[in-house]
Amino acid sequence: MANVTIKTSEGDITVCLYDETPRHRDNFLKLAKEGYYDGTLFHRVIKNFMIQGGDPNSKDAPEGVMLGTGGPGYTVPAEILPQFIHKRGALAAARQGDEVNPERASSGSQFYIVWGQVYNEGQMGQLARQMQMQAEQAVFNRLAGEHRKEIMDLRRNRDQAGLMELQNDLIAQTRAIMAEQGNAGLTDKQKKTYTTVGGTPHLDGQYTVFGEVTDGLDVVEKIQNTATAAGDRPKQDIKILSVEVI
């Protein structure tokens, strides 16, 4: 594993980068060595959720400017692995949504560090049901995307019967796929982690987690508690001074 220290205006955060996600590890190290992150901001901060940085457009960005669209001009193929979950302190890659990014490729530079919350047993049960529904919806959306032209033709021809028949067929396919894949709820490991350490379980399986904080979690807590303005940008800039490879 490689280790880096993210030096910020609020203190240092040390993270280890997983060898099991080599594309993300190597890309982060490359950008760090180039000084790409130096002077950027934690431009998006949501209390009890996460802190996000890595947008090159945030360097010296005037107050009130909306941020979050910048990057190096490329994406990183997804490396979503079930053993790496969104526990508190997890380092993960930001990305565009499934509707424009069905392969879930990661932003070339933007990342976030999870804070989240600690859940009780009742909340975990509710989350498990929500995640099952989310997984079913994702499968249905993927299948619908594969039939996009057919759906558009049926709508253009105002063929309601044909649309209903296709919808029922896609629902049946979705149920068959889900039955084959098994329960998409929470594992025992996830339940134990999220009821003790905390985190953001609803992001599991959706984004690439490629590292975790090993020192400086108190700095992450301080940053996620900061006051924010429009677009979840901190009212007082929180800078990444440098990212140094240890």
Side-chain angles (χ1 to χ4, degrees):
M1 290 187 182
N3 295 279
V4 299
T5 296
I6 303 171
K7 293 185 173 292
T8 84
S9 54
E10 298 296 330
D12 295 352
I13 304 168
T14 299
V15 299
C16 67
L17 308 178
Y18 301 143
D19 291 336
E20 293 87 346
T21 51
R23 291 191 181 100
H24 287 74
R25 177 200 63 201
D26 293 348
N27 181 64
F28 196 83
L29 291 173
K30 169 184 173 290
L31 295 179
K33 292 173 181 176
E34 291 174 353
Y36 185 92
Y37 292 117
D38 299 1
T40 59
L41 304 177
F42 276 106
H43 64 271
R44 184 170 179 241
V45 172
I46 302 177
K47 183 178 174 63
N48 295 326
F49 185 39
M50 60 90 215
I51 64 175
Q52 182 171 332
D55 182 352
N57 297 338
S58 67
K59 293 183 181 181
D60 302 315
E63 183 179 346
V65 171
M66 297 297 289
L67 300 169
T69 60
Y74 60 81
T75 58
V76 181
E79 296 178 296
I80 300 172
L81 301 175
Q83 65 266 40
F84 299 137
I85 63 177
H86 284 75
K87 65 183 179 181
R88 181 165 290 173
L91 172 69
R95 67 173 179 86
Q96 289 187 302
D98 286 359
E99 64 279 2
V100 295
N101 179 28
E103 300 300 320
R104 294 175 175 168
S106 300
S107 162
S109 62
Q110 292 195 41
F111 64 90
Y112 60 94
I113 300 175
V114 172
W115 186 256
Q117 67 180 76
V118 177
Y119 294 81
N120 61 39
E121 293 293 338
Q123 290 171 320
M124 291 307 297
Q126 183 178 2
L127 273 170
R129 291 189 291 273
Q130 290 175 348
M131 292 175 72
Q132 181 73 18
M133 293 174 62
Q134 183 181 56
E136 291 176 0
Q137 188 64 54
V139 171
F140 180 86
N141 290 345
R142 175 174 59 80
L143 293 173
E146 294 172 359
H147 292 267
R148 177 176 172 78
K149 185 179 183 304
E150 183 180 353
I151 292 170
M152 295 303 293
D153 288 342
L154 290 169
R155 286 178 176 172
R156 192 177 297 111
N157 296 327
R158 298 184 178 180
D159 186 349
Q160 295 300 320
L163 277 171
M164 183 62 69
E165 182 180 354
L166 178 57
Q167 176 178 293
N168 290 338
D169 182 51
L170 295 181
I171 290 172
Q173 290 185 52
T174 297
R175 289 172 177 169
I177 291 172
M178 293 304 298
E180 182 178 345
Q181 291 180 348
N183 184 18
L186 297 164
T187 65
D188 289 341
K189 174 186 175 182
Q190 287 172 299
K191 292 175 183 176
K192 181 177 180 180
T193 299
Y194 293 128
T195 54
T196 54
V197 176
T200 56
H202 64 282
L203 298 181
D204 287 346
Q206 310 294 315
Y207 297 78
T208 296
V209 175
F210 65 101
E212 64 182 86
V213 173
T214 56
D215 190 41
L217 201 57
D218 58 322
V219 178
V220 178
E221 180 178 20
K222 182 178 180 181
I223 294 173
Q224 65 92 33
N225 269 316
T226 195
T228 56
D232 300 313
R233 178 176 171 177
K235 291 182 178 179
Q236 297 294 323
D237 285 349
I238 299 174
K239 286 190 175 184
I240 296 175
L241 307 175
S242 65
V243 179
E244 300 180 3
V245 181
I246 301 175

